[in-house]
Amino acid sequence: MKGYGQFCPVAMAAALLSERWTLLVVRELLMGSRHFNQLRRGLPLMSPTLLSKRLHSLQEQGVVVREPSPEGGWLYGLTEAGRELFPLIEKMGQWGKRWVATSLNRKDIDVRLLMWAMHREFNLAALPQPRVMLKIDLSDGGRGCSHFWVILDREAGRAELCLQDPGHELDVILATDVVTITKVYIGDTPFEQARISGRFRVQGASTLVRSMPKWFARSLFADTQRQAQVAQAAA
């Protein structure tokens, strides 16, 4: 780890955290990834070798802890120092959503990464029943990325993403396109607006469909307005 030759705490923190991918590794751990393969799913463009290197560096600095997994292999978690990074990650995300100009294009969206991020953000407490089987059909998902299944378990407090049909009876089917579901997830398009426009087509029991805006996945930064929206509202 290269330093800046300064004793300023900002410089010392930057020396550790500004290395490529490091903050995203911390983000994944904060979002609940524990296994190496889970971290890889959240960081698909990061090589396994570099991921191992970053984890080792964070361990040496007391940010990450590693322990044996009962199923074999290792489990990774954050120490108190690592958990204290949550406000920093949150503020960076809010700043990025508000100030960094971006345009959503289908070709720039990794569908499997999107689904992996989304499945961790469902509001399980808002489900009107203990367990919901959701199928997502994407008209432009592409080969192997057009159909996803999400098992939402309120009592267990977890959501499971499936790339193949798990064989359970479906409760809700959502048919949409990649850009629309992304915009709803990140808060650029309200759920009801997408549904009324016809770009979000939902089938299922009426109680689940009516409550879906409350339990559907929303990014941690969905409520952060882009600066263009703020300026437009103020005009």
Side-chain angles (χ1 to χ4, degrees):
M1 183 177 66
K2 295 181 180 179
Y4 293 96
Q6 298 183 14
F7 288 99
C8 168
V10 174
M12 291 188 289
L16 171 64
L17 300 175
S18 64
E19 285 191 299
R20 182 171 171 81
W21 293 105
T22 295
L23 282 176
L24 297 187
V25 173
V26 173
R27 179 201 68 189
E28 289 303 302
L29 291 167
L30 285 168
M31 294 303 296
S33 292
R34 299 291 311 279
H35 295 275
F36 191 85
N37 285 339
Q38 290 177 331
L39 290 166
R40 289 204 63 201
R41 289 187 74 176
L43 303 164
L45 297 182
M46 187 180 189
S47 73
T49 301
L50 184 56
L51 175 56
S52 295
K53 182 178 179 180
R54 291 292 183 265
L55 287 169
H56 181 70
S57 177
L58 289 168
Q59 283 179 254
E60 287 187 328
Q61 295 297 317
V63 176
V64 167
V65 63
R66 186 182 76 164
E67 58 188 23
S69 169
E71 295 82 24
W74 299 96
L75 291 175
Y76 296 90
L78 292 167
T79 63
E80 181 181 359
R83 293 189 296 272
E84 279 193 11
L85 288 170
F86 178 79
L88 172 64
I89 299 292
E90 183 180 34
K91 288 297 183 183
M92 285 187 68
Q94 291 171 349
W95 184 90
K97 172 78 180 291
R98 185 173 184 185
W99 294 103
V100 179
T102 57
S103 59
L104 280 177
N105 296 307
R106 169 63 188 90
K107 62 182 178 63
D108 298 325
I109 300 173
D110 182 324
V111 178
R112 292 198 178 192
L113 178 58
L114 171 67
M115 291 294 112
W116 176 253
M118 284 184 61
H119 97 279
R120 302 181 297 192
E121 301 278 10
F122 284 91
N123 183 5
L124 302 179
L127 291 173
Q129 62 190 50
R131 192 171 182 272
V132 172
M133 184 70 210
L134 168 67
K135 183 185 180 188
I136 300 175
D137 292 329
L138 299 174
S139 60
D140 57 346
R143 186 176 180 181
C145 294
S146 294
H147 308 289
F148 295 87
W149 295 260
V150 187
I151 304 172
L152 305 171
D153 193 325
R154 187 181 68 196
E155 295 182 347
R158 66 170 180 264
E160 180 183 354
L161 175 67
C162 303
L163 305 182
Q164 296 181 338
D165 188 349
H168 303 309
E169 183 178 354
L170 296 175
D171 296 301
V172 182
I173 301 174
L174 168 63
T176 185
D177 61 85
V178 173
V179 171
T180 296
I181 197 172
T182 302
K183 286 185 175 182
V184 172
Y185 169 61
I186 65 176
D188 283 3
T189 300
F191 185 101
E192 283 300 325
Q193 180 180 322
R195 188 184 63 81
I196 293 171
S197 72
R199 297 194 301 272
F200 247 39
R201 299 177 298 281
V202 183
Q203 300 177 15
S206 58
T207 54
L208 288 171
V209 173
R210 285 197 305 269
S211 63
M212 198 168 175
K214 297 180 180 178
W215 56 260
F216 191 72
R218 296 184 85 243
S219 164
L220 177 64
F221 312 110
D223 292 327
T224 302
Q225 287 187 311
R226 298 190 189 279
Q227 179 57 20
Q229 295 172 315
V230 175
Q232 185 178 18

